[in-house]
Amino acid sequence: MPTIDDCKIINLPKISNRKGNITPVEGFHTVPFDIARVYYLYDVPGGSTRGGHAHKELKQLLISVMGAFDNILDDGHKRKTVRLDRAYYGLYVPRMIWRELENFSSGGICLVLASLPYDESDYHRDYDEFLESIKKQA
Ligand code: T46
């Protein structure tokens, strides 16, 4: 079962010149999975919390492409908080990690690269159900 120690910051390539910066991300190369879906969270009202769930199979890379936000990561035993505040840092989140995203800066944008298409049945949206599932898979 993945743990919060498997949630790692990946330093993404940053190519700079006098026109500014560009960060390319390639599936299986820059990130350890193929990228099936991209989505982004934006216009997040101050004080809002996103997430509040775990994924049964989905793997993700979260990037703060604008501004900053906190990721609270929980494997059912331990918790840690990782703040993303650079467009060239990606936070790899494996399956079965409960996450909450909060403290978005004004105008903050969270880009998510995901390993699978959207499937509501892949979510544990109830924390107790998530803990039960961890126990069953131990
Ligand atoms: C995650 C965090 C970081 C879709 O129809 N298609 C999609 O691809 C997604 C991601 C969401 N939706 C629908 C499902 C809900 O009716 O959009 C609505 C809001 O989704 P949710 O409440 O899951 O949003 P967040 O910000 O809490 O979570 C999202 C992702 O769902 C999740 O995978 O890790 O961003």
Side-chain angles (χ1 to χ4, degrees), residues 81-99:
T81 300
V82 178
R83 187 155 181 83
L84 285 175
D85 57 2
R86 295 283 182 272
Y88 51 85
Y89 288 157
L91 174 62
Y92 172 65
V93 181
R95 62 183 284 272
M96 291 301 285
I97 299 289
W98 188 270
R99 88 290 312 274

Side-chain angles (χ1 to χ4, degrees), residues 19-35:
K19 296 184 288 184
N21 304 324
I22 183 167
T23 290
V25 183
E26 294 178 14
F28 281 134
H29 179 59
T30 330
V31 289
F33 55 82
D34 201 8
I35 299 165

